[in-house]
């Protein structure tokens, strides 16, 4: 059942900014990545399996490190769900990830599945990432749709 | 640096409702747990390592299942951080977990560390859980504070 307050244009804008996040990651475009995040001390990014990175400056530095250590990454998103309350929106999605590894041949890729919860805040310049929590899917126990 | 918009009373209320969530889980109190969640179709709970459970009804059922399968659980929360934007608040915290297991002696407990991102929405009845994403901490790589 869709959220009655969620207008089509807002949903499209949120899906676009969510997609822009993954495009920036895939491209290793640190400037584009930086522009997507809320410039605030309470911005939080939880990379998969890691402890929280707090504050926009630390989040930007963490992305520089992640991108420097990623030779190739490609996302296929599934189950993208957008929800909205006033000026805050959440997007949850399944990240089906392909990564390359310099240590193997260039046509060998690893696959993985992670879940991301991303919380966006409306700003005069558009939606910005306030909180991202990404974590690997370990099993499908306990997970089911309504 | 504290959020300048975050008043002391609101921070206290959010910490209290966050603590009530863990108290309900520890006590296996399904009624108390149910009362904490937003009654909405876009309520989401991501149990550690699992796929998202969407919708208040499915979330309640998932907690009945989790509680039925938990003989003993106790949380020590650390790094509880509350952030607020308008009528939505996020709480991130580290869950230091002690669990008992019926298959071992009653004085043997397992320990684990997980991270939780919880998004609360203000309602006339108080703050309610809209989104919970909990996931195990696998390492501290990439995690650091500003």
């Amino acid at each position: 059942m869709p959220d009655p307050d969620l207008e089509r244009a807002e949903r499209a804008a949120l899906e676009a900014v969510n997609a822009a996040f993954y495009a920036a990651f895939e491209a290793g475009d640190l400037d584009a990545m930086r522009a997507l995040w809320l410039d605030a001390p309470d911005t939080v990014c939880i990379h998969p399996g890691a402890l929280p990175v707090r504050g926009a400056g630390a989040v930007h530095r963490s992305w520089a490190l992640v991108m420097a250590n990623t030779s190739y990454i490609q996302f296929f998103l599934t189950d993208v769900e957008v929800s909205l309350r006033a000026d805050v929106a959440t997007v949850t999605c399944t990240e089906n990830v392909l990564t390359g590894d310099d240590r193997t041949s260039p046509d060998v890729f690893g696959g993985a599945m992670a879940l991301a919860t991303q919380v966006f805040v409306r700003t005069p310049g558009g939606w910005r990432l306030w909180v991202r929590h990404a974590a690997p899917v370990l099993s499908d126990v306990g997970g089911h749709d309504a």
Side-chain angles (χ1 to χ4, degrees), chain A:
Chain A
M1 183 165 28
D3 184 323
D5 298 319
L6 187 62
E7 298 175 8
R8 183 179 303 269
E10 294 218 297
R11 179 185 292 270
L14 282 157
E15 288 180 351
V17 73
N18 193 60
F21 166 85
Y22 291 100
F25 193 176
E26 288 177 343
D29 187 335
L30 199 54
D31 289 337
M33 179 61 81
R34 174 189 293 262
L36 288 163
W37 286 85
L38 188 68
D39 184 17
D42 63 350
T43 294
V44 177
C45 183
I46 302 177
H47 295 286
L51 294 172
V53 180
R54 298 185 191 281
V59 168
H60 299 326
R61 288 192 295 277
S62 78
W63 281 107
L65 190 66
V66 167
M67 288 176 173
N69 285 288
T70 303
S71 60
Y72 178 84
I73 194 161
Q74 188 173 353
F75 291 92
F76 300 93
L77 301 184
T78 52
D79 305 311
V80 180
E81 296 281 346
V82 177
S83 296
L84 185 73
R85 291 288 185 287
D87 291 334
V88 176
T90 62
V91 178
T92 57
C93 58
T94 303
E95 301 176 344
N96 304 278
V97 187
L98 281 181
T99 54
D101 186 325
D102 284 334
R103 290 166 298 183
T104 61
S105 70
D107 57 347
V108 173
F109 295 96
M113 188 161 71
L115 279 173
T117 297
Q118 322 222 66
V119 186
F120 293 90
V121 176
R122 193 197 306 272
T123 75
W127 293 98
R128 293 288 182 274
L129 253 173
W130 177 21
V131 178
R132 166 175 160 84
H133 189 161
V137 175
L138 305 178
S139 72
D140 61 358
V141 175
H144 52 274
D145 287 286

